[in-house]
Amino acid sequence: MGVAVPRRYISIEDLATARGVDPAKYTLGLGAREMAVAEPGEDTVALAALAAKRALDATGHRELGMLVVGTETGVDHSKPVASYVHGLLGLPTTMRVFDTQHACYGGTAGVMAAMEWIASGAAAGRAALVVCSDIARYGMRTAGEPTQGAGAVAMVIAQDPAMLELDVGISGAASTHVHDFWRPLGQREAQVDGHYSMQCYTEALATAYRGWKTRAIARELVRGDGLASEQLAQICYHVPFCKMARKAHVQVRQCDASDAGIADTDAAVAASFTQQVEPSLSACSRVGNIYTGSLYLALLGALDIGGRALAGKRVGMFSYGSGCTSEFFSGVVGARAADMVERAQLAGVLADRERITIDEYERIMTLVTPMGQPGPFLFTGVAEHRREYARG
Ligand code: HMG
């Protein structure tokens, strides 16, 4: 895996103070600490290219047959972000290159396509590069403002996984046509029905989780008695804001308790949240919502904290994309996971950022042209209707 975040962030407490809100609402109520702020030069392509380069560098050279970018912040109606990334990284011409879109689920669509391509044998030994890259914007002084963020996570998906071996063919899916969150063409900021979106998320989770559980029990990956979710060493959820993962975990426990006819207690739910979910939230709480990449940032965070102790253990993952579609799936942590996580240098990437004031954040939010500062990959502007990028 490789990760890229904008070089600037704000403290969520500074934002609360500037908005006249009790900081505890954002820190305890939403579970946020810091929020990434992308300037126009750090667009979806620039973040995706940097994360992809880091993933390729970390995993070593591989023969690639597929590049997929999952994004809901595309830069063109026709030319995919993946096409720009392909060019910026100088990847081989003999490969499939495309974007996938369904709100925050887009990256998981890429992961599933890559996994099933490999499992089918069609990949014939080649690997896939899947990148999740997004910029989450609700606008200043909106209820969604403290849940913005930006970043990219890239993954090399191959036959011989070092970090995580995905369980093929047992995921559970849930989709319904709803308007919980969407972004009409031409609008920079998302439309959202915030409280309804949380209800859509938890309802989809219940269906997707039960779909996964039925197949996992049938394949004897988990036992049918008791609380099936407790047999997962970690559960990583899509993290639009950290408190949502807590609500998600309560939902999963309720499904388990009701399916097994067992009475759960608040203390048991809290203890399982601390052990099974909280480690995944440390990085997310410092970046904010990165849409397609949020689940995978949570996974990287969980592996980063869990280290070698997680090797050989099964983790659950829930991907949710508003609109909506979702999937619960699982995988077993690889013996070399801790080494691979170390190569992703998550702590270093987060430490290598600059904290800015709320005044500076507000100025950046109104910019449409790049600030023109050097960076590894940067959007520099449009000439003859073509987006141009620089490599630092
Ligand atoms: P809000 O309505 O202003 O906040 O915005 P609230 O009044 O619901 O309060 C939030 C929490 O803070 C509550 O906790 C309050 O009790 C607590 P809860 O009861 O829910 O556990 N609180 C306090 N705690 C401590 N001290 C205080 C205090 N005051 C209140 N003083 C909302 C919240 C999430 C609605 C808003 O930020 C929003 O609209 N965000 C964007 C939508 C979103 O993130 N939805 C999540 C589910 S949909 C999804 O995940 C998909 C998505 O990623 C997009 C995609 O798929 O592409 C969004």
Side-chain angles (χ1 to χ4, degrees), residues 24 117 178 252-253 257 273 327 383:
W117 173 66
V178 286
V252 161
R253 295 281 299 203
F273 174 80
E327 202 152 337

Side-chain angles (χ1 to χ4, degrees), residues 22 24-25 28-30 72 102-105 138 143-147 180-181 192-195 197-198 201 238 240-241 243-244 247 289 291 320-322:
D22 178 356
K25 175 174 177 182
L28 301 176
L30 297 175
E72 56 179 296
H102 191 145
C104 297
Y105 173 84
Y138 295 96
E145 183 179 32
T147 66
D180 59 334
F181 165 107
V192 63
D193 189 341
H195 290 272
S197 72
M198 293 190 260
Y201 177 121
H238 166 55
F241 54 92
K243 183 72 156 301
M244 192 69 223
K247 292 177 191 292
N289 194 355
Y291 288 163
Y320 177 79
S322 283

Side-chain angles (χ1 to χ4, degrees), residues 44 69-75 81 99-107 133-136 138 181-183 187 190 238 289-293 320-322:
T44 312
V69 175
T71 184
E72 56 179 296
T73 348
V75 295
V81 170
D99 279 5
T100 45
Q101 183 195 327
H102 191 145
C104 297
Y105 173 84
S133 183
D134 274 303
I135 293 164
Y138 295 96
F181 165 107
W182 67 105
R183 189 163 65 89
Q187 283 191 19
H238 166 55
N289 194 355
I290 61 169
Y291 288 163
T292 48
Y320 177 79
S322 283

Side-chain angles (χ1 to χ4, degrees), residues 60-96:
H61 182 73
R62 283 178 185 275
E63 197 192 337
L64 294 177
M66 189 189 282
L67 165 61
V68 193
V69 175
T71 184
E72 56 179 296
T73 348
V75 295
D76 189 281
H77 288 309
S78 172
K79 190 172 169 62
V81 170
S83 172
Y84 287 96
V85 173
H86 182 251
L88 282 167
L89 296 188
L91 296 177
T93 50
T94 52
M95 59 190 289
R96 233 175 237 166

Side-chain angles (χ1 to χ4, degrees), residues 26-349:
Y26 292 175
T27 55
L28 301 176
L30 297 175
R33 286 171 61 197
E34 296 165 357
M35 191 176 92
V37 179
E39 61 102 348
E42 297 169 309
D43 72 351
T44 312
V45 170
L47 290 168
L50 181 55
K53 182 177 183 321
R54 287 177 171 160
L56 290 175
D57 289 349
T59 52
H61 182 73
R62 283 178 185 275
E63 197 192 337
L64 294 177
M66 189 189 282
L67 165 61
V68 193
V69 175
T71 184
E72 56 179 296
T73 348
V75 295
D76 189 281
H77 288 309
S78 172
K79 190 172 169 62
V81 170
S83 172
Y84 287 96
V85 173
H86 182 251
L88 282 167
L89 296 188
L91 296 177
T93 50
T94 52
M95 59 190 289
R96 233 175 237 166
V97 175
F98 59 96
D99 279 5
T100 45
Q101 183 195 327
H102 191 145
C104 297
Y105 173 84
T108 300
V111 168
M112 294 297 157
M115 174 181 79
E116 288 162 8
W117 173 66
I118 289 164
S120 75
R126 291 168 298 164
L129 176 60
V130 178
V131 193
C132 309
S133 183
D134 274 303
I135 293 164
R137 289 177 72 107
Y138 295 96
M140 288 186 279
R141 298 176 183 79
T142 63
E145 183 179 32
T147 66
Q148 300 177 124
V153 180
M155 295 161 269
V156 175
I157 304 204
Q159 184 100 41
D160 53 344
M163 262 184 153
L164 189 76
E165 184 172 341
L166 294 166
D167 297 321
V168 181
I170 63 156
S171 72
S175 307
T176 317
H177 171 42
V178 286
H179 273 93
D180 59 334
F181 165 107
W182 67 105
R183 189 163 65 89
L185 294 175
Q187 283 191 19
R188 261 182 122 186
E189 277 88 23
Q191 300 288 317
V192 63
D193 189 341
H195 290 272
Y196 177 54
S197 72
M198 293 190 260
Q199 183 192 326
C200 293
Y201 177 121
T202 47
E203 284 175 5
L205 170 59
T207 305
Y209 173 67
R210 285 190 164 117
W212 169 83
K213 187 163 76 164
T214 304
R215 293 183 186 95
I217 291 170
R219 286 250 299 261
E220 298 183 352
L221 301 183
V222 292
R223 294 184 315 280
D225 57 328
L227 304 174
S229 63
E230 282 201 332
Q231 297 165 51
L232 294 168
Q234 294 282 296
I235 307 180
C236 301
Y237 298 98
H238 166 55
V239 188
F241 54 92
C242 291
K243 183 72 156 301
M244 192 69 223
R246 184 183 283 272
K247 292 177 191 292
H249 194 59
V250 169
Q251 174 75 314
V252 161
R253 295 281 299 203
Q254 278 171 359
C255 289
D256 271 350
S258 131
D259 296 349
I262 296 170
D264 209 356
T265 64
D266 289 350
V269 175
S272 80
F273 174 80
T274 305
Q275 196 189 332
Q276 291 177 280
V277 185
E278 207 160 55
S280 67
L281 302 178
S282 68
C284 296
S285 72
R286 298 187 57 195
V287 180
N289 194 355
I290 61 169
Y291 288 163
T292 48
S294 291
L295 165 64
Y296 301 100
L297 185 61
L299 175 65
L300 188 59
L303 295 176
D304 196 31
I305 288 178
R308 291 178 204 286
L310 285 174
K313 298 192 172 148
R314 179 160 278 108
V315 299
M317 286 155 279
F318 177 64
S319 179
Y320 177 79
S322 283
C324 69
T325 195
S326 66
E327 202 152 337
F328 196 100
F329 55 108
S330 57
V332 176
V333 177
R336 290 176 290 147
D339 297 334
M340 297 309 293
V341 169
E342 216 171 289
R343 291 191 209 175
Q345 296 182 353
L346 182 58
V349 168

